[in-house]
Amino acid sequence: NNIGMLYAVLGDYESALANYERARSLHSEIAQPSAKVTTFSGMGYAIAKTGNWDQAKTYYQLALDIGGGNADLSWKAYTLTNMGVAHSSTGDVKTALSYFEAANKIWDDPKVHDPQGKAYTLDKIGIAALNAGDVDQASKKFLLALESWRRIGVRSGEANTLLGLVRLEIKLGNLMS
């Protein structure tokens, strides 16, 4: 799983999927649901990066079906967020928002302390809102995400959210593309 994740982060999605497939082949020997959740969620992420949103949704759903209450809640929230991104990317913003809301419920649980995950979800809600034309909601979510990224010192997250704010300003006609 970790090698697959590394390749996905580096942008080598073919190698990422190959390593996730290797991990998946070991699942019959491993009785840990969390390992399966991580693999399927990672496969969904790598496939989503290639633009195959429907196949990504399939893997995200497999991860969510296995996850239940036993899997790591942070992974579940990330998977819910990524499922929301997949739906948003195919134009189904209403469904996307329901996944984002489910992820936010997990992030708001005091037992799950992952401010980076919360910021990630807020940023993705901002993107979905912007794509749906709701600039007020997009602005609010981007600004909340930006505040969170700055508070926890994650510069790459801050940069992604700033890019969303630039896209918002272009849409409002305040900047030239």
Side-chain angles (χ1 to χ4, degrees):
N1 280 332
N2 290 340
I3 295 171
M5 171 99 43
L6 177 64
Y7 277 115
V9 168
L10 293 173
D12 184 349
Y13 306 116
E14 191 174 307
S15 295
L17 287 172
N19 280 280
Y20 282 126
E21 282 295 340
R22 279 190 220 120
R24 194 167 90 163
S25 70
L26 297 173
H27 287 232
S28 60
E29 301 169 24
I30 300 171
Q32 292 179 321
S34 62
K36 293 177 185 179
V37 169
T38 303
T39 299
F40 286 132
S41 187
M43 290 177 84
Y45 177 80
I47 290 166
K49 289 297 190 177
T50 69
N52 189 339
W53 296 108
D54 290 332
Q55 190 177 8
K57 287 183 212 176
T58 299
Y59 282 103
Y60 290 143
Q61 192 59 55
L62 284 169
L64 292 169
D65 290 345
I66 293 167
N70 297 329
D72 175 44
L73 288 175
S74 287
W75 270 106
K76 184 175 183 179
Y78 276 109
T79 302
L80 287 164
T81 299
N82 288 335
M83 181 69 105
V85 169
H87 280 280
S88 174
S89 296
T90 57
D92 187 359
V93 176
K94 184 177 179 181
T95 301
L97 289 174
S98 70
Y99 281 103
F100 295 143
E101 287 172 19
N104 272 332
K105 280 186 180 179
I106 294 171
W107 298 133
D108 292 339
D109 183 335
K111 293 178 286 192
V112 182
H113 183 72
D114 187 347
Q116 185 169 331
K118 177 74 174 188
Y120 176 74
T121 300
L122 288 168
D123 180 71
K124 300 309 178 194
I125 296 170
I127 292 169
L130 182 61
N131 290 342
D134 188 346
V135 293
D136 290 336
Q137 180 75 346
S139 178
K140 288 176 189 172
K141 297 304 179 180
F142 283 141
L143 291 173
L144 286 170
L146 185 61
E147 178 185 322
S148 294
W149 292 125
R150 286 180 172 163
R151 185 174 51 253
I152 61 177
V154 178
R155 304 283 291 173
S156 60
E158 183 179 342
N160 284 332
T161 299
L162 286 169
L163 179 60
L165 284 166
V166 167
R167 288 182 53 224
L168 173 77
E169 291 299 324
I170 290 169
K171 189 168 196 131
L172 292 171
N174 296 335
L175 295 172
M176 296 176 64
S177 59

Short mmCIF file of all heavy atoms in Angstrom, two decimals, residues 44 64 115 120:
data_model
loop_
_atom_site.label_atom_id
_atom_site.label_comp_id
_atom_site.label_asym_id
_atom_site.label_seq_id
_atom_site.Cartn_x
_atom_site.Cartn_y
_atom_site.Cartn_z
N GLY A 44 -8.66 3.79 -5.91
CA GLY A 44 -9.61 4.79 -6.39
C GLY A 44 -8.93 6.12 -6.66
O GLY A 44 -9.17 6.77 -7.68
N LEU A 64 -15.46 1.87 1.16
CA LEU A 64 -16.50 2.27 2.12
C LEU A 64 -17.32 1.08 2.59
O LEU A 64 -17.68 0.99 3.76
CB LEU A 64 -17.41 3.34 1.50
CG LEU A 64 -16.74 4.69 1.26
CD1 LEU A 64 -17.63 5.59 0.42
CD2 LEU A 64 -16.36 5.36 2.57
N PRO A 115 -6.72 17.74 11.51
CA PRO A 115 -7.03 19.04 10.91
C PRO A 115 -6.65 19.11 9.43
O PRO A 115 -7.26 19.85 8.66
CB PRO A 115 -6.23 20.03 11.74
CG PRO A 115 -5.24 19.23 12.51
CD PRO A 115 -5.77 17.84 12.60
N TYR A 120 -8.57 19.50 3.85
CA TYR A 120 -8.66 18.85 2.54
C TYR A 120 -10.12 18.81 2.08
O TYR A 120 -10.44 19.17 0.94
CB TYR A 120 -8.07 17.44 2.63
CG TYR A 120 -8.17 16.61 1.39
CD1 TYR A 120 -7.36 16.86 0.28
CD2 TYR A 120 -9.06 15.54 1.31
CE1 TYR A 120 -7.44 16.08 -0.86
CE2 TYR A 120 -9.13 14.75 0.18
CZ TYR A 120 -8.32 15.03 -0.91
OH TYR A 120 -8.40 14.24 -2.03
#
